[in-house]
Amino acid sequence: MGETPGSFRSVSETPLRIGLLLGSAAATLLPEPPPNIVVVRRHHPVYLGPDAAFVPAHRVDHEENLRHLIDAGCNHILSVNSAGSLRAEIPVGSVVAPDDFYAPAVNPSIHDDIAGHSVPGFHTGWRATVIDVWNRLETKPIQDGGVYAQTRGPRFETPAEVKVLAMVAHIVGMTVASECILARELGLPYAAVCMVDNLGNGLAPSGADLTLDDYEAGKATNQLLLSSAIPRLVNALVS
């Protein structure tokens, strides 16, 4: 989807200062971020104080997270997310950079007037840059494109819900669409890297239901990739 002319800063803007939004599966990455990288751990943002409680997906204040990054001088947003696969051909361990989302019930806005009649979407140029840099650095390719379905959370989806979502989407999570909508309203180029930590409920080859142990096992395995790939990616993007 294209961008409204004049709505976004250039991807080549100097200096590039990235706001890095990390999900629960990536929360321990970059404890000491390099210059020009500002980290917000969306489920436990440090700006709320060291004793702040874990914030579940349905209560994350996405606007506050983004405004914190704007106040820190960030001009591009990179979101790193845990996702579930809605299709058997996208196995656990896949990395996806979605280019669209399905979230008809997700409608956050910074506006209380007609300005909220906006056209949402990922930033095409910034997204292409992230994909290009990832694929130049990593042996595991990132899937270029796919539809991200957002559900409210914090629970996982039922097998019936997975079947319905799979009719239009490839992966499912609880945060990306909200962030993407608000980032565009705030004039911030936004791209997402989604790590597939589990198969959707009911998609296991055995036919067994999804368990939290399944999710935790996939997340732990994928941490090995993220712990090396994300620091390399963000360092290359700002170098």
Side-chain angles (χ1 to χ4, degrees), residues 206-222:
S206 66
D209 290 340
L210 175 68
T211 68
L212 290 179
D213 287 342
D214 295 332
Y215 163 69
E216 292 294 342
K219 183 173 72 171
T221 299
N222 290 336

Side-chain angles (χ1 to χ4, degrees), residues 25-239:
T28 59
L29 299 179
L30 291 177
E32 297 181 5
N36 292 331
I37 302 292
V38 180
V39 174
V40 165
R41 293 166 175 81
R42 70 169 63 84
H43 296 286
H44 196 166
V46 295
Y47 62 77
L48 294 179
D51 298 324
F54 176 85
V55 181
H58 66 304
R59 293 186 176 171
V60 171
D61 191 333
H62 299 287
E63 182 180 347
E64 183 64 24
N65 285 344
L66 290 167
R67 290 195 182 277
H68 174 79
L69 292 171
I70 290 172
D71 290 344
C74 296
N75 48 36
H76 288 74
I77 303 297
L78 177 61
S79 180
V80 180
N81 313 272
S82 173
S85 172
L86 294 171
R87 307 194 181 193
E89 64 268 25
I90 304 176
V92 172
S94 300
V95 189
V96 181
D99 61 352
D100 199 358
F101 62 77
Y102 175 79
V106 176
N107 299 294
S109 180
I110 65 172
H111 303 293
D112 292 317
D113 54 24
I114 197 170
H117 291 176
S118 59
V119 180
F122 296 90
H123 187 277
T124 304
W126 175 228
R127 190 181 153 278
T129 296
V130 170
I131 292 168
D132 176 66
V133 173
W134 177 286
N135 285 333
R136 285 194 283 111
L137 294 174
E138 302 302 324
T139 55
K140 175 181 279 293
I142 191 168
Q143 179 175 314
D144 181 357
V147 177
Y148 176 104
Q150 182 172 321
T151 56
R152 177 170 167 78
R155 68 170 177 84
F156 287 79
E157 299 73 36
T158 68
E161 289 168 339
V162 167
K163 289 177 182 177
V164 172
L165 292 173
M167 295 172 67
V168 295
H170 301 84
I171 55 177
V172 60
M174 304 174 188
T175 55
V176 165
S178 295
E179 289 177 350
C180 189
I181 292 166
L182 291 167
R184 175 158 287 200
E185 290 191 345
L186 290 165
L188 289 165
Y190 178 92
V193 171
C194 297
M195 195 82 217
V196 175
D197 288 333
N198 62 276
L199 293 176
N201 201 352
L203 292 184
S206 66
D209 290 340
L210 175 68
T211 68
L212 290 179
D213 287 342
D214 295 332
Y215 163 69
E216 292 294 342
K219 183 173 72 171
T221 299
N222 290 336
Q223 278 281 80
L224 298 175
L225 172 63
L226 289 175
S227 63
S228 59
I230 297 304
R232 281 199 296 264
L233 175 65
V234 296
N235 275 291
L237 286 167
V238 298
S239 64

Side-chain angles (χ1 to χ4, degrees), residues 14-36:
T14 303
L16 181 65
R17 188 166 174 82
I18 299 173
L20 185 64
L21 285 163
L22 297 179
S24 57
T28 59
L29 299 179
L30 291 177
E32 297 181 5
N36 292 331

